[in-house]
Amino acid sequence: DIQLTQSPSFLSASVGDRVTITCRASQGISSNLAWYQQEPGKAPELLIYAASALQSGVPSRFSGSGSGTDFTLTISGLQPEDFATYYCQQLDMYPLTFGPGTKVDIK
Amino acid sequence: QVQLVESGGGVVQPGTSLRLACAASGFSLSGYPIHWVRQAPGKGLEWVAFQSYEGRNKFYADSVKGRFTISIDRSTFYLNMNNMRAEDTAVYYCAREPGGRRFFDYWGQGILVTVSS
């Protein structure tokens, strides 16, 4: 199975900050990675797919990059509604797997 | 609009069975396989199972293989859970995959399943 790790697991930031979250795969997965945002008590929402493609309706302050084993999600100008947990997911092979999550909290 | 609505959750005892349903509407099912993803209380997301609409392809996580089966009847997808364990306690989501892409663009609201004696 492909294992995903995320760093940091928790970060504290302020409104307006630029935030970067890293996801690393245990083997190369090309660009087969997605990112989700999950607010407490709600279902996850798709932000990015194919490592860097922005899902329709997602604000442009969210961006993704990377390929192979190392990927990043960047939020340029953190907004109050962005305080949530973020998960990466590999799309390369079954079983599909998620990273453990990164919680973004208010400083 | 696209809607996925889960039902059938509740509290069950270990070793028993439960069937979850995911009612899909607002899109053509043939192009969009449905997956089940779960989240244990306070934990991360775990992919559980997948079935293509025509039923040709089915995949399961090792943690549920041999106990859970996925099926479809018209526009409703089912997750049949047998021999349930305490570690199956979670919120279960059904999620739509844009055909062949393996990511999830729409999710249901989730349904809680608790396995406890």
Side-chain angles (χ1 to χ4, degrees), chain A residues 29-89:
Chain A
I29 58 172
S30 187
S31 297
N32 296 320
L33 191 96
W35 290 95
Y36 301 87
Q37 177 194 66
Q38 186 180 33
E39 297 177 37
K42 293 188 174 182
E45 292 186 359
L46 177 67
L47 299 173
I48 301 282
Y49 61 93
S52 61
L54 192 68
Q55 171 68 354
S56 175
V58 174
S60 59
R61 62 181 179 273
F62 291 92
S63 63
S65 65
S67 67
T69 59
D70 295 309
F71 303 85
T72 59
L73 172 71
T74 300
I75 310 172
S76 301
L78 202 63
Q79 296 300 302
E81 59 269 29
D82 300 337
F83 292 96
T85 300
Y86 294 84
Y87 295 94
C88 57
Q89 180 225 335

Side-chain angles (χ1 to χ4, degrees), chain A residues 5-9 20-23 102:
Chain A
T5 56
Q6 288 183 234
S7 60
S9 54
T20 298
I21 298 168
T22 297
C23 178
T102 295

Side-chain angles (χ1 to χ4, degrees), chain A residues 1 34 36 38 42-44 46 49-50 55 87 89 91-96 98, chain B residues 35 37 39 43-47 50 59 62 93 97 101-105 107-108:
Chain A
D1 299 2
Y36 301 87
Q38 186 180 33
K42 293 188 174 182
L46 177 67
Y49 61 93
Q55 171 68 354
Y87 295 94
Q89 180 225 335
L91 324 174
D92 197 64
M93 66 173 61
Y94 286 96
L96 304 178
F98 291 87
Chain B
H35 295 247
V37 177
Q39 187 169 35
K43 302 298 183 182
L45 301 168
E46 180 188 16
W47 173 82
F50 150 79
F59 296 104
D62 286 346
Y93 298 98
E97 172 200 334
R101 308 299 299 274
R102 298 180 184 169
F103 58 83
F104 312 122
D105 61 351
W107 297 64

